[in-house]
Amino acid sequence: MKQFLSVSDVPDINALIAKAAAHKAAPFASSHLGQHKMVINLFFNSSLRTRMSTEKAARQLGADVITYDASGGWGIEFEDGTIMNANTAEHVREAAGVLSQYCDVLCVRSFPTLTDKEADYADRIMKAFVKYASVPVVSMESATRHPLQSLTDCLTISEHRRTARPKVVLTWAPHPRRLPQCVANSFAEWMQAWGEVDLTIANPEGFDLAPAFAPKSIVSHNQAEAFAGADFIYAKNWSAYDDYGATADLPDWIIDEQKMALTNDAFFMHCLPVRRNMVVSDAVIDSPNSLVLQQANNRTWAAQAVLGSML
Amino acid sequence: MKQFLSVSDVPDINALIAKAAAHKAAPFASSHLGQHKMVINLFFNSSLRTRMSTEKAARQLGADVITYDASGGWGIEFEDGTIMNANTAEHVREAAGVLSQYCDVLCVRSFPTLTDKEADYADRIMKAFVKYASVPVVSMESATRHPLQSLTDCLTISEHRRTARPKVVLTWAPHPRRLPQCVANSFAEWMQAWGEVDLTIANPEGFDLAPAFAPKSIVSHNQAEAFAGADFIYAKNWSAYDDYGATADLPDWIIDEQKMALTNDAFFMHCLPVRRNMVVSDAVIDSPNSLVLQQANNRTWAAQAVLGSML
Amino acid sequence: MKQFLSVSDVPDINALIAKAAAHKAAPFASSHLGQHKMVINLFFNSSLRTRMSTEKAARQLGADVITYDASGGWGIEFEDGTIMNANTAEHVREAAGVLSQYCDVLCVRSFPTLTDKEADYADRIMKAFVKYASVPVVSMESATRHPLQSLTDCLTISEHRRTARPKVVLTWAPHPRRLPQCVANSFAEWMQAWGEVDLTIANPEGFDLAPAFAPKSIVSHNQAEAFAGADFIYAKNWSAYDDYGATADLPDWIIDEQKMALTNDAFFMHCLPVRRNMVVSDAVIDSPNSLVLQQANNRTWAAQAVLGSML
């Protein structure tokens, strides 16, 4: 792979899942791949899981890692032709060009504004780094997608499915803040591209994801109906795509035991961090069917599979 | 050791000191212990000495290290059953559980509030990480104790003692800020548990440490009397335990040459950072009897002994 | 080398350039030099290129690295004899002494105030660390000099020169902020000491560098005249030395194609970050004659040559 920005960069999803599983079984078996290689992790937004799992993955491949937190503000200029006499101190042409001198793989995290839909969905920061970097770029979450999380989720589902073609429900859940659509977009995109699950997306009216990610045929506005017979419940809040960035106070959408009882003894999944008793009840997340820690663990192997494909 | 939070976690203090001394003599002799292992250092409060010495120790054991500075605010929820609709974004159950997926030893630093005695002395943050982590937890200083510093101090005293049972004085010293009681608590606790020194604690009236750490029989309110015949003077400021967090402007408690003249040519010790001419005079800290840099050096070997026991 | 603060610490510039070139040709050929060694990079001011290239250099030499960002404020006391009852929490005697316990080479970055010429040109922070450290100190830019950049520039010029003795022009360029004189001072100092180029410094009236760096005989206030026949144009803004820290709004000093046409098909150099269409036009920095990315790359090899000489 020359870049890892979305599922469309992956030639064979099952092969990549298998690679992740192989790293999980033998974390250091490929530690020659990163020998004398450098991975730079560039964060425009702070991170815990992504940072640690990506660093760990790189090191298990034998590579060195430099993590650079640019969340304090680096002042990068993205427009071409500007007279840079104001707040930006470096153009992305130089930023990406320079970082490419120092590493073999460049991992970048950025977030959406949630105020400018067009700019967010153009994925300006990530695209600019891809354009001007001379090394492979890995998205550690962009304004619209979070592909490392989705690969993780494929691995987790493949490890726990009890049928060849499980029913998977991606459900909106309540949250007090405005959150990006990235995790939900990517999860929807990967589940459909993977083709090994039946995906239903349950969300309130007004919270449909962008049509490119969520065709109307798989969207339900009735959470209880969607949960019926589900094998996996994947909970996540996201702000509205249509009324861009809007939120709603809908506590009834919480995932609790009553709703889980509607399912086929479904596993509960969430990418974390999660707000307890807001998104999901204690009883559900603390139940044996909760896979949230296994997902966090699988982030390492997903990252290792992606980095390993590039090094 | 499955955890390192206080002296009571140490089965044999002299054996641990001997281990630290062995690492000091041959820093890389145990570099197989950490092979393919990961240590995470999690700082809720900033650090220089602790961070560097712990990282160095881990690397000398052959382990990888990720240092995570959460002092900017991570927003961890510690209460159970809360509806997390406010400022906390992740429950410690997930935080500790996730971090445990990424490492073999989890080192945590937190500080007291100095306003809520009960909460501080319950050592909520450290205890919660111990409860929910699935890997060994090392305290890099908690709200009430600083055991890595105390092990360091044992090593330093054992290297410099001129008699089998030296007289050690832990003395309060002036400081312009309100400081935790951790270093003093731990030092008192370790010296008593070690049993190889005669400990006297000198502090102003109103600044007695918590009774669990400082039995009245070894506390003196007369600094000059306490210094008589001392072999080691260990200086440290702490805020009051009784009138919790209170300070006092008592410049006469400074450690200067006049007071050191009362001792048995005592060594001067301090955990650093130290405010010169406030806590201790230039003449004392710059004298050949000052062990402050040796103490800083010994932090590495103490950390290596503790991590090495866990890896 | 026991320290690397200015060109006068370098016994043989060409030998050091050759060493950097050798590391560039075989980055890991000297990875035994840093075996079981530690490099600490201490930043009092933030950094991208310097941090990454220095870390990379150290690791390629086989050394471990700890990068410590003290830009948030560490509160170091530099005066002797002070009663430290105010905002400084640690004296540089202890700070440098402690850090020396943890590493084999200490790299330090600090910046000038640009308000107190005397203090800046005394290079107080760097000098204090040199005085109290017990290990070699490397300047990663001080209040007055940036020697790693200059060594990089020597390497870059030596790689691209088409004649034995090229004409090099260091030219002032416009910038909206007040910038240090460090890069310009060091470049001037190194080019003169190297003795293999003809150096001209072009700057507006009032922007002459300190006489110790820029003898009047090589300074021109006419940019066009200076550019005539130049083989290398090295652009950089700096604030005034005489009217200390002053700036001027002189957009005509921009480096554009018209001015480059006056040269002998000169290469364009800049240490980055650079403000496009302010310092230099897009056409010039995007031309094949632009060496800015090669310079960024060469930072690694310059750092490796310096660290390698000390480890």
Side-chain angles (χ1 to χ4, degrees), chain B:
Chain B
M1 285 190 292
K2 304 285 276 189
Q3 62 178 28
F4 183 75
L5 309 179
S6 81
V7 72
S8 62
D9 295 314
V10 181
D12 183 334
I13 296 175
N14 274 320
L16 196 59
I17 296 172
K19 203 174 274 194
H23 287 304
K24 187 172 184 174
F28 291 90
S30 304
S31 63
H32 57 285
L33 288 178
Q35 187 70 6
H36 294 173
K37 300 284 176 69
M38 178 66 83
V39 174
I40 290 181
N41 294 339
L42 177 61
F43 288 95
F44 287 97
N45 299 84
S46 65
S47 163
L48 174 72
R49 263 155 287 272
T50 298
R51 183 196 150 181
M52 292 197 178
S53 58
T54 311
E55 276 199 41
K56 201 177 182 217
R59 291 176 183 189
Q60 286 172 176
L61 290 165
D64 266 324
V65 197
I66 295 179
T67 293
Y68 189 78
D69 181 0
S71 64
W74 180 3
I76 295 188
E77 178 65 48
F78 291 94
E79 297 300 322
D80 275 336
T82 320
I83 299 174
M84 290 170 58
N85 58 3
N87 293 322
T88 56
E90 178 145 41
H91 197 280
V92 67
R93 287 169 180 259
E94 277 72 59
V98 165
L99 290 171
S100 298
Q101 311 281 320
Y102 297 146
C103 67
D104 302 281
V105 177
L106 178 59
C107 305
V108 179
R109 159 168 288 195
S110 66
F111 275 1
T113 62
L114 293 185
T115 52
D116 183 339
K117 185 197 280 194
E118 201 177 350
D120 286 349
Y121 273 75
D123 236 336
R124 195 181 54 157
I125 296 179
M126 195 63 65
K127 292 280 176 58
F129 273 92
V130 169
K131 183 170 179 186
Y132 296 115
S134 55
V135 296
V137 172
V138 171
S139 164
M140 300 190 296
E141 187 168 353
S142 74
T144 53
R145 287 175 173 91
H146 196 347
L148 282 172
Q149 182 64 51
S150 303
L151 174 56
T152 298
D153 298 334
C154 286
L155 173 60
T156 310
I157 289 172
S158 75
E159 290 174 330
H160 291 86
R161 64 178 158 190
R162 293 164 301 203
T163 60
R165 193 171 182 82
K167 176 175 179 184
V168 173
V169 177
L170 167 62
T171 180
W172 189 92
H175 199 282
R177 300 276 166 82
R178 299 186 335 151
L179 295 190
Q181 292 126 29
C182 312
V183 170
N185 283 345
S186 265
F187 186 79
E189 179 172 71
W190 280 69
M191 288 299 123
Q192 291 171 82
W194 191 21
E196 305 215 349
V197 305
D198 281 325
L199 177 68
T200 301
I201 304 175
N203 58 253
E205 302 257 8
F207 285 85
D208 288 5
L209 294 169
F213 296 98
K216 293 234 172 296
S217 60
I218 61 168
V219 175
S220 164
H221 297 145
N222 184 321
Q223 196 183 32
E225 274 181 24
F227 273 42
D231 297 296
F232 292 89
I233 298 297
Y234 195 101
K236 184 77 187 81
N237 174 271
W238 59 86
S239 59
Y241 175 77
D242 288 335
D243 180 10
Y244 196 63
T247 56
D249 183 21
L250 298 166
D252 287 352
W253 279 75
I254 190 174
I255 319 303
D256 59 17
E257 285 184 294
Q258 284 68 41
K259 286 179 196 155
M260 291 301 284
L262 304 171
T263 70
N264 179 28
D265 192 26
F267 290 105
F268 174 79
M269 298 178 72
H270 190 281
C271 62
L272 302 184
V274 69
R275 288 171 178 254
R276 285 172 169 254
N277 303 313
M278 182 87 197
V279 169
V280 57
S281 71
D282 283 337
V284 171
I285 196 172
D286 291 332
S287 78
N289 276 22
S290 170
L291 300 178
V292 297
L293 291 183
Q294 287 92 321
Q295 285 176 268
N297 182 13
N298 283 343
R299 289 294 305 274
T300 301
W301 320 112
Q304 198 165 341
V306 170
L307 292 174
S309 301
M310 290 174 167
L311 285 171

Side-chain angles (χ1 to χ4, degrees), chain C residues 79-251:
Chain C
E79 298 299 322
D80 276 335
T82 319
I83 298 175
M84 289 171 58
N85 57 2
N87 293 322
T88 55
E90 178 146 40
H91 197 280
V92 67
R93 288 169 179 259
E94 276 73 59
V98 165
L99 290 170
S100 299
Q101 312 280 321
Y102 297 146
C103 67
D104 302 282
V105 178
L106 177 60
C107 304
V108 179
R109 160 168 288 194
S110 66
F111 274 2
T113 62
L114 293 184
T115 52
D116 183 339
K117 185 198 283 195
E118 200 176 352
D120 287 350
Y121 273 73
D123 236 336
R124 196 181 55 157
I125 295 179
M126 195 62 65
K127 294 279 176 59
F129 273 92
V130 169
K131 183 170 178 186
Y132 296 115
S134 55
V135 296
V137 172
V138 171
S139 165
M140 301 189 297
E141 188 168 354
S142 74
T144 54
R145 287 175 172 90
H146 195 347
L148 283 171
Q149 181 63 52
S150 304
L151 174 57
T152 298
D153 299 333
C154 286
L155 173 61
T156 310
I157 290 172
S158 74
E159 290 174 331
H160 290 87
R161 64 178 157 191
R162 295 164 300 203
T163 60
R165 192 171 183 80
K167 176 177 179 183
V168 173
V169 177
L170 167 63
T171 180
W172 189 92
H175 199 282
R177 300 276 165 82
R178 301 186 333 151
L179 296 189
Q181 293 126 29
C182 312
V183 170
N185 283 346
S186 264
F187 187 78
E189 179 172 71
W190 280 69
M191 288 300 123
Q192 292 172 80
W194 191 22
E196 304 214 350
V197 306
D198 280 325
L199 177 68
T200 300
I201 304 175
N203 57 253
E205 302 257 7
F207 285 85
D208 288 6
L209 294 169
F213 296 99
K216 293 234 172 295
S217 59
I218 62 168
V219 175
S220 165
H221 297 145
N222 185 320
Q223 196 183 31
E225 273 182 24
F227 273 42
D231 298 295
F232 292 88
I233 298 297
Y234 195 101
K236 184 76 188 80
N237 173 271
W238 59 86
S239 59
Y241 175 77
D242 288 335
D243 180 10
Y244 196 64
T247 57
D249 184 20
L250 298 167

Side-chain angles (χ1 to χ4, degrees), chain A residues 65 82 86 90 94 101-102, chain C residues 49 59 275-277 296-297:
Chain A
V65 197
T82 320
E90 179 145 40
E94 276 73 58
Q101 311 282 319
Y102 298 145
Chain C
R49 264 155 287 271
R59 289 175 184 188
R275 288 170 177 256
R276 284 172 170 254
N277 304 313
N297 182 12

Side-chain angles (χ1 to χ4, degrees), chain A residues 35-36 64, chain C residues 23 26-37 56-64 304 308 311:
Chain A
Q35 188 71 7
H36 294 173
D64 266 322
Chain C
H23 287 304
F28 291 90
S30 304
S31 62
H32 57 285
L33 287 178
Q35 187 70 6
H36 293 174
K37 299 285 177 69
K56 202 179 181 214
R59 289 175 184 188
Q60 286 172 175
L61 290 165
D64 267 323
Q304 198 165 341
L311 285 169

